Structure formats: C-alpha cells, structure tokens
Amino acid sequence: MANTNASQDRTAALRTEMQKLDADTYQDIRQSYYAVADNLKPLADLLEKADADLGPDGPLLEEHYLFLQMYDLLRKSHLGGTV
C-alpha cells in the first residue's frame, strides 16, 4: 500500500510540475515521450528477430538487451501518467 501511495504522490508531483510549463514545451515533451514509448519495445523486438535470423549471440542480441533495459526503465517512469 505504501508503495502505491508513493507512486501516486510522485505522479501527482510530476503532473503539477508539468502543468507549470508553457503549452509548447509541454506538447514537445508529450510528443517526444510517445515517440520513444511507442517505438522502444518494437525496436527491441526487431533487434531480437534480426539476431535470430543472422545467428545466435551476435551484437544485435546485445543491442536487444540494451533496448529492453531502456524499455523497463521507461515503464518505471511516471511521465506517461502525466502526459
């Protein structure tokens, strides 16, 4: 329960700060967030498939793992709940 409250508090604080921004900056952040959020997981998946097509354990698989880590971090962000 405490973790949920902390998460809600963090989202609320972020929302408050985002609302202080001018409309253009807010919109730029929103568009950039969704450009990343919409494409990060598909990119990781494409790298994994490309690696499988080329052979096991190549450099594409390493990149796949890096982008999966980025995706995991993105999912921890509260920005999506505010934009």
Side-chain angles (χ1 to χ4, degrees):
M1 183 67 102
N3 199 12
T4 301
N5 288 340
S7 178
Q8 290 172 344
D9 291 348
R10 183 172 170 202
T11 299
L14 184 57
R15 184 176 290 116
T16 298
E17 291 303 304
M18 292 292 292
Q19 290 171 344
K20 293 177 185 177
L21 299 172
D22 65 83
D24 289 338
T25 300
Y26 178 91
Q27 188 63 20
D28 288 345
I29 290 171
R30 183 179 186 280
Q31 289 175 340
S32 294
Y33 172 84
Y34 281 108
V36 171
D38 290 345
N39 292 296
L40 200 53
K41 181 69 164 77
L43 174 58
D45 293 343
L46 287 169
L47 287 165
E48 181 182 34
K49 182 183 179 326
D51 177 74
D53 291 345
L54 294 177
D57 300 326
L60 293 176
L61 189 60
E62 292 174 26
E63 292 297 312
H64 160 74
Y65 290 135
L66 289 172
F67 281 95
L68 274 183
Q69 290 174 25
M70 288 182 215
Y71 178 71
D72 287 341
L73 287 172
L74 178 71
R75 292 179 55 209
K76 293 177 183 178
S77 169
H78 291 260
L79 189 59
T82 65
V83 296

